[in-house]
């Protein structure tokens, strides 16, 4: 029989390594690293062996994702900077930890805040958000896949201030939020997200054309209605968001291909776009000018 004390010590050692690998280099706030060290990944990945998404730089995307199955259920396989399949056939994964460490640091959830998460998956990053806001805060997750939503709700029992609803995070109203974290690619910010933001609230979402590489756009609501602060945190590629009305996306792909992400300084809702326009989304546009 395995020594439970040794097992606990081994898992703590793995999480310490994992934190140094994915969080410490990407997050300036030590609370983010502490969250990665504190929240175990195993319950959210489910029983092993696991399917790990393999990098395929030289593999055609038309052939679909390539997964490698771990030889056993050793938790050491989970404590790497890897994407773990939740539904390999649909390409749904627990996202890359280093990217999420960078994003959580940029979103900066604070103790006592209310955070909305769109696309919880099995709840791993929901738990990290719950750790960051603490028991005086609230995390409201939305997951359109009812099976995943049920799984996330079970996994989040240790964090009773986090809840998950099995519905779209685009349709209908959302609770007022200090921060909104979207984990599915969208060609535009949903009106529901913008309306739910409190003053000085932050929205972080993957702006991208469907099945194309895009960028994590951080928006901060300011006092002005016509223009808010905005900047890209990193490049990113997520599965497409369901439920958002389709828009023409050719211009968005072209903007990412030809224009530097670092140039974006604001998101604007006034018209018409001027010479500082980075991308024109119709009813909104990204600008290289400060608000």
């Amino acid at each position: 029989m395995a020594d439970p004390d040794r097992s606990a010590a081994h898992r703590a050692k793995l999480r310490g390594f994992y934190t140094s690998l994915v969080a410490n280099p990407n997050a300036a706030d030590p609370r983010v690293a502490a969250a990665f060290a504190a929240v175990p990944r195993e319950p959210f990945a489910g029983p092993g062996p696991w399917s790990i998404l393999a990098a395929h730089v030289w593999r055609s995307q038309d052939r679909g994702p390539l997964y490698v199955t771990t030889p056993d259920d050793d938790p050491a396989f989970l404590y790497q900077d890897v994407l773990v399949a939740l539904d390999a056939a649909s390409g749904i994964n627990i996202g890359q930890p280093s990217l999420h460490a960078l994003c959580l640091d940029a979103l900066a959830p604070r103790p006592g805040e209310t955070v909305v998460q769109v696309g919880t998956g099995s709840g791993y990053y929901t738990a990290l958000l719950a750790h960051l806001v603490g028991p005086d805060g609230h995390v409201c997750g939305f997951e359109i896949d009812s099976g995943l939503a049920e799984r996330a709700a079970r996994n989040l029992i240790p964090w009773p201030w986090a809840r998950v609803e099995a519905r779209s995070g685009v349709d209908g109203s959302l609770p007022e939020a200090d921060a909104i974290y979207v984990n599915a690619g969208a060609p535009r910010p949903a009106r529901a997200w913008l309306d739910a933001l409190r003053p000085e609230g932050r929205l972080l979402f993957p702006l991208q054309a469907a099945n194309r590489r895009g960028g994590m756009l951080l928006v901060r609501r300011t006092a002005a209605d016509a223009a808010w602060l905005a900047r890209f945190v990193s490049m990113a590629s997520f599965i497409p968001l369901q439920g958002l009305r389709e828009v023409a996306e050719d211009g968005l792909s072209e903007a990412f291909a030809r224009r530097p992400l670092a140039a974006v300084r604001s998101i604007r809702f006034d018209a018409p776009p001027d010479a500082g326009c980075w991308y024109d989304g119709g009813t909104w546009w990204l600008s290289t000018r400060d608000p």
Side-chain angles (χ1 to χ4, degrees):
M1 180 180 296
D3 182 343
D5 293 331
R6 181 178 178 183
S7 175
H10 178 61
R11 290 169 188 264
K13 181 173 69 174
L14 291 176
R15 288 205 298 274
F17 164 77
Y18 173 66
T19 300
S20 297
L21 179 68
V22 305
N24 289 339
N26 296 295
D29 185 348
R31 298 184 312 115
V32 174
F36 274 88
V39 177
R41 208 176 185 197
E42 298 94 312
F44 304 94
W50 302 282
S51 295
I52 305 294
L53 184 64
H56 51 90
V57 176
W58 308 113
R59 178 183 169 90
S60 170
Q61 293 188 6
D62 295 338
R63 296 170 62 190
L66 174 66
Y67 290 91
V68 176
T69 303
T70 62
D72 54 38
D73 61 355
D74 186 337
F77 294 114
L78 296 178
Y79 290 107
Q80 308 287 334
D81 191 23
V82 294
L83 288 78
V84 182
L86 296 174
D87 183 346
S90 301
I92 300 174
N93 311 298
I94 300 178
Q96 189 168 22
S98 59
L99 173 62
H100 284 273
L102 181 70
C103 290
L104 291 173
D105 189 62
L107 187 65
R110 294 184 288 269
E113 288 192 326
T114 295
V115 179
V116 167
Q117 185 190 17
V118 178
T120 66
S122 64
Y124 177 59
Y125 294 111
T126 322
L128 289 169
L129 289 167
H131 184 94
L132 289 165
V133 302
D136 292 330
H138 300 279
V139 179
C140 307
F142 296 89
E143 173 54 58
I144 200 167
D145 184 307
S146 59
L148 281 177
E150 181 180 354
R151 182 173 167 182
R154 291 196 304 268
N155 291 335
L156 291 166
I157 288 173
W159 298 271
W161 56 95
R163 61 181 177 83
V164 176
E165 293 186 27
R167 71 171 178 91
S168 167
V170 173
D171 298 327
S173 63
L174 300 178
E176 289 188 356
D178 301 291
I180 299 176
Y181 190 35
V182 181
N183 292 166
R188 61 179 175 85
R191 187 72 249 174
W193 306 340
L194 301 175
D195 291 343
L197 280 182
R198 289 171 173 161
E200 297 301 317
R202 293 90 64 204
L203 163 66
L204 183 57
F205 75 102
L207 178 66
Q208 65 180 67
N211 300 313
R212 299 290 184 88
R213 194 164 176 81
M216 295 299 297
L217 184 66
L218 178 65
V219 175
R220 181 183 293 272
R221 182 169 193 167
T222 58
D225 292 332
W228 297 351
L229 289 166
R231 68 178 176 90
F232 282 107
V233 173
S234 72
M235 297 292 290
S237 181
F238 281 71
I239 62 171
L241 182 73
Q242 298 182 46
L244 194 64
R245 182 178 58 82
E246 293 185 2
V247 297
E249 301 175 354
D250 292 344
L252 183 56
S253 297
E254 182 180 347
F256 278 111
R258 298 188 178 184
R259 298 166 190 161
L261 271 64
V264 171
R265 305 295 294 272
S266 62
I267 183 171
R268 296 177 177 268
F269 308 100
D270 54 354
D274 59 25
C277 180
W278 189 91
Y279 170 70
D280 182 3
T283 57
W284 62 280
W285 52 286
L286 295 179
S287 174
T288 58
R289 296 191 296 116
D290 291 326

